Amino acid sequence: MNKKEIKVQDIKAFLGEDLIGVFGDDTNVFVDNVADVEHVNETTLDWINPRRLNQQEIAENSPARVLLVTSKVSYSEAMEKLGKVLLVVKNPRLKLAKIIAEFFVEKPKALIHPSAIVDENAEIDPSVAIGAGCVIGKVKIGKGTVINPNVVLYDDVTIGNNCLIQAGTVIGTDGLGCSREADGTLVKFPHLGGVVIGNNVEIGANCQIAKGVLSDTLIDDGCKINGLCFIAHNCHLEKNVWITGDTMLCGSIHVKPNTTIYSNVIIREQSTIGERVTIGMGSVVTKNVPDGETWVGVPARKLEKQ
Amino acid sequence: MNKKEIKVQDIKAFLGEDLIGVFGDDTNVFVDNVADVEHVNETTLDWINPRRLNQQEIAENSPARVLLVTSKVSYSEAMEKLGKVLLVVKNPRLKLAKIIAEFFVEKPKALIHPSAIVDENAEIDPSVAIGAGCVIGKVKIGKGTVINPNVVLYDDVTIGNNCLIQAGTVIGTDGLGCSREADGTLVKFPHLGGVVIGNNVEIGANCQIAKGVLSDTLIDDGCKINGLCFIAHNCHLEKNVWITGDTMLCGSIHVKPNTTIYSNVIIREQSTIGERVTIGMGSVVTKNVPDGETWVGVPARKLEKQ
Amino acid sequence: MNKKEIKVQDIKAFLGEDLIGVFGDDTNVFVDNVADVEHVNETTLDWINPRRLNQQEIAENSPARVLLVTSKVSYSEAMEKLGKVLLVVKNPRLKLAKIIAEFFVEKPKALIHPSAIVDENAEIDPSVAIGAGCVIGKVKIGKGTVINPNVVLYDDVTIGNNCLIQAGTVIGTDGLGCSREADGTLVKFPHLGGVVIGNNVEIGANCQIAKGVLSDTLIDDGCKINGLCFIAHNCHLEKNVWITGDTMLCGSIHVKPNTTIYSNVIIREQSTIGERVTIGMGSVVTKNVPDGETWVGVPARKLEKQ
């Protein structure tokens, strides 16, 4: 992390209406780092977790001058003496994430690395960053999307705006659905569809996303899929689906919005997973899962609330 | 998919003896696409699934002019009036797969992409296609095989004819069998074997296939292994084994012909899996599995027929 | 394997104090290969597994002239007549592994392949080998480390001495921890930490190792991690941890020294796995595991000794 001084006034401007209140004099006050609890210093932008019972005590003891807090933390005389600044927000962790993304993360430059091999018919917005060693077929890529090194996009892949594809991921392979002939020979059904990925999607490293058989595999806006996942042919992930890694969705699975699928899960082909569902890690899902439920286990079953 | 007109007469010639019967006048009739059920139009090559109870009704209602059907579908007066053509075959889906592969899938050109790095002692048939970014050691590759981008083949890998290796896969790494010394230090047993892959084998994206310790890892003719699989040292897959993705075969596993292993399975090292076996998705296989059985679960057990 | 003649006297010198005894006249005796049991010939360096009940009989029947044995095998008259040489050691398999690594495995040359893309601020020891197609960010790499082709190292990755990274692995990606806003939108917490890998570490093909959120992901000396593993943000693997492949450690997991985790395991975030623990293949670990225990199953439970 490169240290650079961020003025508290710039953070206040960035938070805008999400800033419920400010305590302390922030004139000429800056932060220059974020840190885990063992490494907080005077110029760290610290935050107080609202789940802690003793938020006030933690805030009093933080070595940091500037803290993101909820309204449960009050501005004490001791804080005033130390010149502390409290930025009051509803969800300090979420706001910290957004502040880090805005001020502490370097945005990649729009650039197709000269070592990337790009099909001459690809339609790539000039704001896109494509890393070294990528191999890019006849695809469409929207504004602000970042493709990290050694990614392979086959033909007929469409990626929207502001997406991030981590290194080594392969998008648009054939699926491998087969029929057996009488003598056991496997005949693969060729795949003629594509993959359509929406906006603000992130996909982790070394994944495989297969194209559809005759129509497209669909990953809608806001989905976040971590590394080593395999999304097979004709799946449709609606918006804001979160998959935390090493999970396989077999073919033609429909996942409805705002669902979370934890790691190393396998879901049977042609299943429907409802809205706001949670699937526990290591689950083997063999049935449709209704909206709002939590399923876990092998085979996965509904987890009743206790 | 590029649309091009395919004459029904060419399809008839391709089907040859597999064509049981033809109804309707196919003079000057062509198809130019295949499609899923929502997108069938007049020039789609449609097919009627023999598992459906109402095949005749589905066939009557298809907007397509040309249909692959079984002999359960009869040529009605209505069909005749509409100028429809029925191509009667035993297994319409299998035949559709073969027709698509023949007429609708563009074959990659024989070419070693200039960005691929190939060992000067590799023996590669001139008909082979090697994609951008591949790194190819001292290997042998047979006629008509296609290696997609960013694949790595270590030394001592042999691949037969008409194989397809999807992007990002790595073949021929060391295994990582270790002994622990008294103080806990791990000493890896070096791997001196190779990998030998037969003809008509397909391997999905981002797999790892390890070489044998002192002899070779073997993947015989006609095996189809989908993405993110890990085939460890000294496995022997006999012909037509199908693995649908994200599965790991630990070391020295013997899989007999025509067996199907579904996704996210783990099989214990030194197991023998019989012929025509089916292993259900998510299974943890800790024992040998006899010929013809279906095993599922954690740990996997025989599924009795119901 | 290239055959070259290795003098028994050089092997004796290499074994040094680990050589308990020698029988037979080794003047001008050499070996030129190692082989599995079906392929042993006169010039194979053979070994007798101390777990076998009939070690003496196996040794008598080996076609090889030179054998690594324990002191349970005695030098018979028949052996003397055949001019055999016995090298007596405590652990023949471990010693064989070391002899192979020393005499039969070609060391890669120190070289950054011209097709690799390396950040100009990377600090790479001149003895390092970096394969074709690698993309290397602002990293530090120590003496004698080998990076195989198409590996991607993001910024802020440190790798120690004598490590081996197999092809296609990606180290230093962001993790993908998210918070959901009220409308379901996923906001990713940016990752500002790094990855620090010690000495003598091996990592298999097509893995993903994520950097820490605010501090570093740590993989200490002597760890061996096989292919397709996902080590998430802020994990800390202490020395000599062995993971045999296709396993995921969710975030902030602490694994103590000399522990073995078998294949296709998933471990819940923030767990602590003790020293000298064994986790069985396919396990789903949802709790902390105390020192010295063996856990298996879904969810994993302690395996009592029988």
Side-chain angles (χ1 to χ4, degrees):
Chain A
M1 182 173 60
N2 296 322
K3 287 207 174 182
K4 63 174 184 182
E5 300 186 358
I6 315 292
K7 291 181 191 162
V8 171
Q9 290 178 349
D10 291 341
I11 293 173
K12 284 165 61 183
F14 174 72
L15 288 172
E17 295 189 355
D18 292 336
L19 187 64
I20 299 171
V22 181
F23 296 96
D25 177 9
D26 57 51
T27 320
N28 296 324
V29 179
F30 66 89
V31 296
D32 65 8
N33 74 88
V34 287
D36 56 17
V37 67
E38 289 93 13
H39 298 92
V40 172
N41 62 26
E42 195 187 338
T43 54
T44 302
L45 173 60
D46 203 6
W47 69 291
I48 307 302
N49 189 338
R51 293 187 191 167
R52 296 303 182 89
L53 291 177
N54 55 343
Q55 292 177 54
Q56 185 71 35
E57 188 191 336
I58 298 171
E60 301 279 357
N61 291 326
S62 167
R65 189 156 174 200
V66 185
L67 295 97
L68 285 162
V69 299
T70 63
S71 53
K72 293 280 166 83
V73 176
S74 53
Y75 194 65
S76 67
E77 223 167 289
M79 287 177 178
E80 198 175 348
K81 267 189 198 160
L82 293 164
K84 294 213 173 189
V85 177
L86 298 189
L87 302 174
V88 186
V89 294
K90 270 199 178 152
N91 186 334
R93 188 173 190 276
L94 185 63
K95 291 302 178 290
L96 182 65
K98 291 186 169 186
I99 292 166
I100 295 173
E102 177 67 18
F103 294 103
F104 290 95
V105 177
E106 210 177 321
K107 274 107 196 149
K109 283 182 199 127
L111 175 76
I112 297 180
H113 192 278
S115 68
I117 307 292
V118 180
D119 189 281
E120 59 184 8
N121 294 309
E123 298 173 26
I124 298 176
D125 189 89
S127 62
V128 166
I130 294 184
C134 289
V135 183
I136 309 291
K138 287 173 205 153
V139 303
K140 293 181 191 173
I141 307 180
K143 286 187 214 308
T145 283
V146 175
I147 312 282
N148 280 158
N150 283 359
V151 164
V152 177
L153 306 182
Y154 284 56
D155 292 345
D156 301 316
V157 171
T158 299
I159 301 180
N161 302 330
N162 300 314
C163 293
L164 173 56
I165 313 295
Q166 299 282 3
T169 275
V170 176
I171 303 180
T173 58
D174 289 9
L176 194 43
C178 293
S179 304
R180 275 198 197 274
E181 296 198 278
D183 68 351
T185 304
L186 292 160
V187 178
K188 164 180 155 180
F189 202 96
H191 284 56
L192 302 174
V195 177
V196 179
I197 295 176
N199 302 320
N200 304 306
V201 170
E202 179 166 343
I203 296 175
N206 283 336
C207 292
Q208 175 180 1
I209 299 180
K211 57 189 181 183
V213 180
L214 297 172
S215 50
D216 295 329
T217 298
L218 304 172
I219 298 179
D220 293 352
D221 292 356
C223 287
K224 309 288 180 192
I225 299 171
N226 211 336
L228 289 160
C229 286
F230 184 168
I231 310 297
H233 63 89
N234 295 98
C235 284
H236 179 194
L237 280 63
E238 291 198 67
K239 67 179 184 178
N240 301 331
V241 170
W242 182 20
I243 305 179
T244 65
D246 203 11
T247 277
M248 180 167 179
L249 303 194
C250 298
S252 302
I253 289 171
H254 181 190
V255 186
K256 293 188 177 170
N258 302 331
T259 276
T260 300
I261 299 171
Y262 284 104
S263 302
N264 201 19
V265 167
I266 171 87
I267 303 184
R268 187 186 201 141
E269 56 177 2
Q270 301 192 314
S271 304
T272 297
I273 309 298
E275 269 190 76
R276 290 165 293 103
V277 161
T278 302
I279 307 287
M281 68 178 197
S283 298
V284 176
V285 180
T286 60
K287 295 179 178 173
N288 295 337
V289 177
D291 288 354
E293 298 189 353
T294 296
W295 283 46
V296 298
V298 182
R301 293 198 171 82
K302 186 181 175 185
L303 185 71
E304 300 296 343
K305 286 196 177 133
Q306 289 156 340
Chain B
M1 183 173 61
N2 297 321
K3 286 206 175 184
K4 63 174 185 182
E5 299 186 359
I6 316 293
K7 290 180 193 162
V8 171
Q9 289 177 351
D10 291 339
I11 294 174
K12 285 165 61 182
F14 173 73
L15 289 172
E17 294 190 355
D18 291 337
L19 188 63
I20 299 171
V22 181
F23 295 96
D25 177 8
D26 58 51
T27 320
N28 296 325
V29 178
F30 66 89
V31 296
D32 64 10
N33 74 88
V34 286
D36 56 16
V37 66
E38 288 94 11
H39 298 92
V40 172
N41 61 27
E42 194 186 339
T43 54
T44 302
L45 174 60
D46 202 7
W47 69 291
I48 307 301
N49 190 337
R51 293 188 191 167
R52 297 303 182 88
L53 291 177
N54 55 343
Q55 291 176 56
Q56 184 71 36
E57 187 190 337
I58 298 171
E60 300 279 358
N61 290 327
S62 167
R65 189 157 174 200
V66 184
L67 295 96
L68 285 162
V69 299
T70 64
S71 54
K72 293 280 166 85
V73 176
S74 54
Y75 194 66
S76 67
E77 222 167 290
M79 286 177 179
E80 198 176 347
K81 266 189 198 160
L82 293 165
K84 294 213 175 190
V85 177
L86 298 188
L87 303 174
V88 184
V89 294
K90 268 198 181 156
N91 187 333
R93 189 174 189 276
L94 186 62
K95 292 302 178 287
L96 182 66
K98 292 188 168 185
I99 292 166
I100 295 174
E102 177 68 17
F103 293 103
F104 290 95
V105 177
E106 211 176 320
K107 274 110 196 146
K109 284 182 198 126
L111 175 77
I112 297 180
H113 191 279
S115 68
I117 307 292
V118 180
D119 188 281
E120 59 184 8
N121 295 310
E123 297 173 27
I124 297 176
D125 190 88
S127 61
V128 166
I130 295 184
C134 288
V135 183
I136 309 291
K138 287 172 206 154
V139 303
K140 291 180 192 174
I141 307 180
K143 286 186 214 306
T145 283
V146 175
I147 313 283
N148 280 157
N150 283 359
V151 163
V152 177
L153 305 181
Y154 285 55
D155 292 346
D156 301 316
V157 171
T158 299
I159 300 180
N161 302 330
N162 300 315
C163 292
L164 173 56
I165 313 295
Q166 299 282 2
T169 274
V170 176
I171 303 180
T173 59
D174 289 9
L176 193 43
C178 294
S179 304
R180 275 196 198 276
E181 295 200 278
D183 68 352
T185 304
L186 292 160
V187 179
K188 164 179 155 180
F189 202 94
H191 284 57
L192 302 174
V195 176
V196 179
I197 294 176
N199 302 320
N200 303 308
V201 170
E202 179 166 343
I203 295 176
N206 283 334
C207 292
Q208 175 181 1
I209 298 179
K211 58 188 180 184
V213 180
L214 298 172
S215 51
D216 295 330
T217 298
L218 304 171
I219 298 179
D220 292 352
D221 293 356
C223 288
K224 309 288 178 192
I225 299 172
N226 211 336
L228 290 159
C229 285
F230 184 168
I231 310 296
H233 64 90
N234 295 98
C235 284
H236 179 193
L237 281 62
E238 291 198 66
K239 68 180 184 176
N240 301 332
V241 170
W242 182 20
I243 304 180
T244 64
D246 203 10
T247 276
M248 180 168 180
L249 303 193
C250 298
S252 302
I253 289 170
H254 180 190
V255 185
K256 294 189 176 171
N258 303 333
T259 276
T260 301
I261 300 172
Y262 284 103
S263 302
N264 201 19
V265 167
I266 171 87
I267 302 183
R268 188 185 202 142
E269 57 179 2
Q270 301 192 315
S271 304
T272 297
I273 310 298
E275 269 191 77
R276 290 165 293 105
V277 161
T278 302
I279 307 287
M281 67 177 198
S283 297
V284 176
V285 180
T286 60
K287 297 178 177 174
N288 295 336
V289 177
D291 288 354
E293 298 189 353
T294 297
W295 284 46
V296 298
V298 181
R301 292 197 172 84
K302 186 181 175 186
L303 184 71
E304 300 297 342
K305 286 194 178 134
Q306 290 156 341
Chain C
M1 183 173 58
N2 297 322
K3 287 209 174 181
K4 63 174 185 183
E5 299 187 356
I6 315 292
K7 289 181 193 162
V8 171
Q9 290 178 349
D10 291 340
I11 293 173
K12 285 165 59 182
F14 173 72
L15 288 171
E17 295 190 354
D18 292 337
L19 188 64
I20 299 171
V22 181
F23 295 97
D25 177 9
D26 58 49
T27 320
N28 296 325
V29 179
F30 66 89
V31 296
D32 64 9
N33 73 89
V34 287
D36 56 16
V37 66
E38 289 93 12
H39 298 92
V40 172
N41 62 27
E42 195 186 340
T43 55
T44 301
L45 174 61
D46 203 6
W47 69 291
I48 307 301
N49 189 337
R51 293 187 190 166
R52 298 302 183 88
L53 293 176
N54 55 343
Q55 292 177 55
Q56 185 70 37
E57 188 190 336
I58 298 171
E60 300 280 358
N61 290 328
S62 168
R65 190 156 176 201
V66 185
L67 295 97
L68 285 162
V69 299
T70 65
S71 54
K72 293 280 166 85
V73 176
S74 54
Y75 194 65
S76 67
E77 222 168 288
M79 287 177 179
E80 199 176 347
K81 267 191 196 158
L82 293 165
K84 295 213 175 191
V85 177
L86 298 188
L87 302 173
V88 186
V89 294
K90 268 198 181 154
N91 186 335
R93 187 172 190 276
L94 186 63
K95 292 302 178 288
L96 181 66
K98 291 186 169 185
I99 292 166
I100 295 174
E102 178 67 18
F103 293 103
F104 290 95
V105 177
E106 210 176 322
K107 274 107 195 151
K109 284 181 199 128
L111 175 77
I112 297 180
H113 192 279
S115 69
I117 307 293
V118 180
D119 188 282
E120 60 183 9
N121 294 310
E123 297 173 27
I124 298 176
D125 190 89
S127 61
V128 166
I130 295 184
C134 288
V135 183
I136 309 291
K138 287 172 205 155
V139 304
K140 292 180 191 173
I141 307 180
K143 287 186 213 308
T145 284
V146 175
I147 313 282
N148 280 158
N150 283 359
V151 164
V152 177
L153 305 181
Y154 284 57
D155 291 346
D156 301 316
V157 171
T158 299
I159 300 179
N161 302 330
N162 300 315
C163 293
L164 173 56
I165 313 294
Q166 299 283 3
T169 274
V170 176
I171 303 180
T173 59
D174 290 8
L176 194 44
C178 294
S179 304
R180 276 197 196 274
E181 295 199 278
D183 68 351
T185 303
L186 292 160
V187 178
K188 165 180 156 180
F189 202 94
H191 284 58
L192 301 174
V195 176
V196 179
I197 294 175
N199 302 319
N200 303 308
V201 170
E202 179 166 343
I203 295 176
N206 283 336
C207 292
Q208 175 181 1
I209 299 180
K211 58 188 180 184
V213 180
L214 297 171
S215 51
D216 294 331
T217 298
L218 303 171
I219 298 179
D220 292 352
D221 292 357
C223 288
K224 309 288 179 192
I225 299 172
N226 211 337
L228 289 161
C229 285
F230 184 168
I231 310 297
H233 62 89
N234 295 97
C235 283
H236 179 194
L237 280 62
E238 290 199 66
K239 68 180 184 177
N240 301 332
V241 170
W242 182 20
I243 304 180
T244 65
D246 203 12
T247 276
M248 180 168 180
L249 304 193
C250 299
S252 301
I253 289 170
H254 180 190
V255 185
K256 293 188 176 170
N258 302 333
T259 277
T260 301
I261 300 172
Y262 284 104
S263 302
N264 201 20
V265 167
I266 171 88
I267 303 184
R268 188 185 201 141
E269 57 179 1
Q270 301 191 314
S271 304
T272 297
I273 310 297
E275 269 191 76
R276 291 165 291 104
V277 161
T278 302
I279 308 287
M281 68 177 197
S283 297
V284 176
V285 180
T286 59
K287 297 178 178 172
N288 295 336
V289 177
D291 289 353
E293 298 189 353
T294 296
W295 284 45
V296 298
V298 181
R301 293 197 171 82
K302 187 181 176 184
L303 185 71
E304 300 296 344
K305 285 193 177 137
Q306 289 156 340

